[in-house]
């Protein structure tokens, strides 16, 4: 009976926390979905209880497993059933479009004007006339589409086709040579040592971070 009680109370607390998170709005859980938020604040609390529970430690342990299982279950369900995502994670809300602010949508998103203005400024928009559309995402972030003549100019605007850039690979981290990354780029330790010497380093131990791009250009940061 006691095990069943722990299971039922754990499931009940998941439901209650979910409803509270919905009521509080997505600003509280920026960059996390609802169940990540629930699992994060709750499992940590239960773990603390588990660490201090000496008589019946299995009870908080079961509760932690329940929370983890429910969170994992919902992630699987939402990945296989996209239609359920809007009910669990919420949906994006258009709060501004074509020079109009949608007050009702802001109220639904639990977003007031002061917070909206702060988010616009954080995104680099100090003048609302520069914004064509603003969407309040379900993760609590504001996505902004600028007015066409206010957006940054791109190479395509000038009919220029620049070479595609790629992510640099870490070949040295904290004085250690990352052999696998070096090998993946078709390089070896002899090449690396030569590059180090050309830039005034005796060994990789003097380098805090070393980055290499697809053109084999090496960017080194000295150990301080």
């Amino acid at each position: 009976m006691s095990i069943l009680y722990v299971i039922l109370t754990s499931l009940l607390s998941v439901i209650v926390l979910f409803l509270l998170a919905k009521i509080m709005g997505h600003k509280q859980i920026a960059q996390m979905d609802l169940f990540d938020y629930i699992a994060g604040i709750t499992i940590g609390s239960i773990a603390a209880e588990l660490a201090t529970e000496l008589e019946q430690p299995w009870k908080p342990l079961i509760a932690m497993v329940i929370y983890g299982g429910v969170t994992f279950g919902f992630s699987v369900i939402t990945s296989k059933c996209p239609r359920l995502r809007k009910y669990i994670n919420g949906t994006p809300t258009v709060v501004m479009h074509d020079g109009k602010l949608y007050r009702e949508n802001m109220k639904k998103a639990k977003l007031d004007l002061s917070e909206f203005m702060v988010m616009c400024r954080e995104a680099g928009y100090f003048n609302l006339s520069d914004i064509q559309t603003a969407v309040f995402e379900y993760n609590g972030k504001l996505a902004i589409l600028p007015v066409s003549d206010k957006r940054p100019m791109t190479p395509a605007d000038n009919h220029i086709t620049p070479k595609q850039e790629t992510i640099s690979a870490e070949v040295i981290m904290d004085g250690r040579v990352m052999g696998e990354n070096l090998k993946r780029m078709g390089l070896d330790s002899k090449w690396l040592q030569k590059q180090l010497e050309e830039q005034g380093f005796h060994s990789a131990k003097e380098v805090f971070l070393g980055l290499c791009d697809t053109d084999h250009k090496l960017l080194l940061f000295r150990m301080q």
Side-chain angles (χ1 to χ4, degrees):
M1 181 64 183
S2 58
I3 295 178
L4 179 61
Y5 177 78
V6 173
I7 293 174
L8 292 176
T9 53
S10 298
L11 290 173
L12 177 62
S13 59
V14 169
I15 295 172
V16 172
L17 282 169
F18 175 79
L19 294 175
L20 288 174
K22 275 288 191 182
I23 292 172
M24 288 187 296
H26 293 119
K27 298 190 299 296
Q28 306 294 329
I29 53 170
Q31 296 182 329
M32 294 189 295
D33 62 35
L34 288 169
F35 281 95
D36 286 336
Y37 173 71
I38 290 170
I41 63 173
T42 309
I43 292 179
S45 177
I46 297 174
E49 182 180 348
L50 177 62
T52 57
E53 177 61 66
L54 301 179
E55 296 182 359
Q56 295 178 314
W58 52 271
K59 287 186 177 181
L61 179 61
I62 292 176
M64 289 179 65
V65 172
I66 294 295
Y67 274 100
V70 170
T71 305
F72 176 76
F74 270 98
S75 67
V76 173
I77 291 172
T78 53
S79 65
K80 293 185 177 181
C81 304
R83 292 183 179 180
L84 293 178
R85 292 176 189 168
K86 65 179 181 179
Y87 300 107
I88 296 175
N89 292 334
T91 56
T93 304
V94 176
V95 293
M96 180 179 178
H97 178 68
D98 200 18
K100 297 179 181 179
L101 287 170
Y102 296 109
R103 183 181 179 186
E104 290 300 317
N105 287 357
M106 283 188 171
K107 289 172 65 177
K108 291 178 182 178
K110 310 295 188 301
L111 180 69
D112 61 41
L113 281 173
S114 296
E115 291 169 320
F116 173 71
M117 294 297 293
V118 169
M119 289 181 170
C120 289
R121 290 194 293 270
E122 287 178 341
Y125 294 90
F126 289 78
N127 191 339
L128 294 187
S129 63
D130 294 344
I131 298 175
Q132 173 65 23
T133 304
V135 180
F136 190 63
E137 304 289 357
Y138 70 84
N139 65 354
K141 296 293 184 179
L142 188 69
I144 295 176
L145 175 67
V147 175
S148 295
D149 60 0
K150 297 295 182 180
R151 66 175 176 80
M153 183 174 288
T154 66
D157 294 329
N158 292 325
H159 306 288
I160 299 173
T161 305
K163 182 180 178 181
Q164 178 62 53
E165 296 181 353
T166 58
I167 298 176
S168 297
E170 300 90 352
V171 293
I172 302 175
M173 293 187 71
D174 202 15
R176 301 176 186 174
V177 176
M178 312 302 289
E180 291 186 3
N181 291 349
L182 201 61
K183 184 178 179 181
R184 191 178 300 116
M185 300 192 74
L187 304 172
D188 55 26
S189 57
K190 291 183 179 179
W191 175 88
L192 180 61
Q193 184 59 37
K194 181 181 179 181
Q195 295 296 316
L196 288 171
E197 292 175 356
E198 289 181 357
Q199 297 193 35
F201 294 88
H202 294 94
S203 70
K205 293 181 179 180
E206 300 176 24
V207 180
F208 181 57
L209 176 64
L211 301 173
C212 184
D213 61 20
T214 52
D215 293 328
H216 295 173
K217 292 181 180 179
L218 190 64
L219 176 63
L220 302 175
F221 295 88
R222 188 177 295 275
M223 192 82 72
Q224 299 295 329

